Amino acid sequence: MYIADGWKDYELLDASGGERLERWGSYTLIRPDPQVIWQSPRTHAGWKHADASYRRSGSGGGAWSENRLPDHWTIGYGSLRFLIRPMGFKHTGVFPEQSANWDWFSDLIRRAGRPVRVLNLFAYTGGATVAAAAAGASVCHVDAARGMVAQARENARLSGLADAPIRYIVDDCRKFAEREIRRGNTYDGIILDPPSYGRGPTGEVWKIEDAIDPLIALLSDLLSAQPLFFLLNSYTAGLSPSTMAYMVRMRIGARFGGRSEAGELGIPVTAGGGYLPAGNCVRHVFL
């Protein structure tokens, strides 16, 4: 398990009965999490005095209740700064478990000793983008949601990276990759963080079980002659780390060599110790 234990502004205080109790800066939130199938005593005062709770609706979706939050605020991870804005589907704009991956590829970028070009697909609000840029890479940030790309740009500005070499692209990720191949562009690092299901800016349907293997195969044509890393993330329960690793080794490793490692991402739970599983990833390093 890859542990996201470098945070000071985020803390998973407790987890019980399908919910997380979290501290985001100076605010405490309760959010649902299907991985939390156990019951704990819930002795932390935050369970009764949280600033907001996300409650699911019986008809689908959900909403924030007991809401005493501002519209937005910021938190930090090292030199990075992120806008936190609770959204309509329980998200806040940052996936804290991904900091374990940020640390991993940032170290590779810093030690490369050469210019590094990174492609971040399904890039959301740009956590990985700002981490890679802060490490010295030039980054191409691609997401189909215009609002998420705008927030990524704001996160870069907050992190002192407004003038960093970052391209922001609102587009369907596969279509963008196909155009980059035709243009002859390549990247030394690729970050792939797809949703389980989604739609592109013009209605394109994405279903990860059908689309992920062909996309990985396509992206092999975007790697440079001296690639540095390939990272695949997934929050899809049916897509195991072993399955993900097999695809990466078959499509990427067989062509370029290197080494793949797969595992869960985890967040430390303050109450009672232990770690909450929070997604899977495959890390491929080229030797």
Side-chain angles (χ1 to χ4, degrees):
M1 180 176 277
Y2 306 114
I3 306 300
D5 57 2
W7 285 94
K8 292 183 172 58
D9 284 357
Y10 171 84
E11 184 179 5
L12 180 51
L13 300 167
D14 199 3
S16 176
E19 294 182 315
R20 299 183 187 189
L21 175 66
E22 303 168 293
R23 179 180 62 81
W24 295 83
S26 57
Y27 298 99
T28 304
L29 309 182
I30 296 173
R31 297 192 297 157
D33 190 318
Q35 294 284 346
V36 183
I37 61 174
W38 58 86
Q39 297 287 343
S40 71
R42 294 198 178 207
T43 56
H44 195 286
W47 288 113
K48 294 181 179 179
H49 304 290
D51 294 296
S53 302
Y54 187 90
R55 303 300 183 193
R56 293 200 182 279
S57 167
S59 59
W64 293 94
S65 61
E66 303 93 38
N67 195 336
R68 296 182 291 273
L69 300 173
D71 176 68
H72 62 271
W73 66 99
T74 60
I75 65 171
Y77 183 76
S79 65
L80 309 179
R81 295 292 179 271
F82 300 106
L83 190 68
I84 303 301
R85 178 180 285 128
M87 302 177 191
F89 189 65
K90 83 172 182 177
H91 298 311
T92 63
V94 173
F95 290 92
E97 63 274 8
Q98 287 296 330
S99 65
N101 281 330
W102 303 342
D103 293 343
W104 170 72
F105 64 67
S106 293
D107 182 60
L108 291 174
I109 292 167
R110 292 189 181 101
R111 292 192 291 108
R114 58 184 171 92
V116 174
R117 300 184 70 222
V118 171
L119 175 63
N120 187 11
L121 295 176
F122 305 97
Y124 192 51
T125 58
T129 293
V130 297
S138 59
V139 185
C140 183
H141 173 110
V142 187
D143 196 278
R146 188 173 301 276
M148 297 300 99
V149 175
Q151 189 162 332
R153 191 186 294 271
E154 177 65 8
N155 285 334
R157 186 192 68 79
L158 291 169
S159 300
L161 297 166
D163 297 324
I166 303 173
R167 285 176 70 200
Y168 299 95
I169 307 293
V170 179
D171 202 351
D172 175 80
C173 289
R174 182 181 179 91
K175 289 183 177 179
F176 176 79
E178 290 170 341
R179 286 197 299 274
E180 286 290 87
I181 291 169
R182 291 196 295 269
R183 288 187 284 249
N185 290 332
T186 61
Y187 297 87
D188 306 298
I190 295 178
I191 300 165
L192 185 57
D193 199 353
S196 299
Y197 180 86
R199 289 187 180 272
T202 57
E204 304 91 342
V205 175
W206 165 272
K207 187 177 179 183
I208 194 168
E209 293 89 345
D210 298 332
I212 189 62
D213 181 52
L215 181 58
I216 295 171
L218 178 71
L219 294 178
S220 68
D221 288 334
L222 274 177
L223 286 166
S224 70
Q226 292 183 295
L228 188 62
F229 70 88
F230 185 94
L231 172 64
L232 171 63
N233 290 301
S234 174
Y235 291 91
T236 304
L239 199 59
S240 72
S242 296
T243 299
M244 294 164 60
Y246 187 89
M247 289 186 290
V248 171
R249 290 183 185 121
M250 180 176 61
R251 300 300 189 186
I252 302 294
R255 179 172 174 180
F256 292 92
R259 180 183 68 253
S260 288
E261 293 182 351
E264 294 179 305
L265 294 163
I267 305 173
V269 184
T270 301
Y275 304 98
L276 176 67
N280 302 320
C281 73
V282 180
R283 298 171 172 182
H284 192 90
V285 179
F286 300 93
L287 305 177

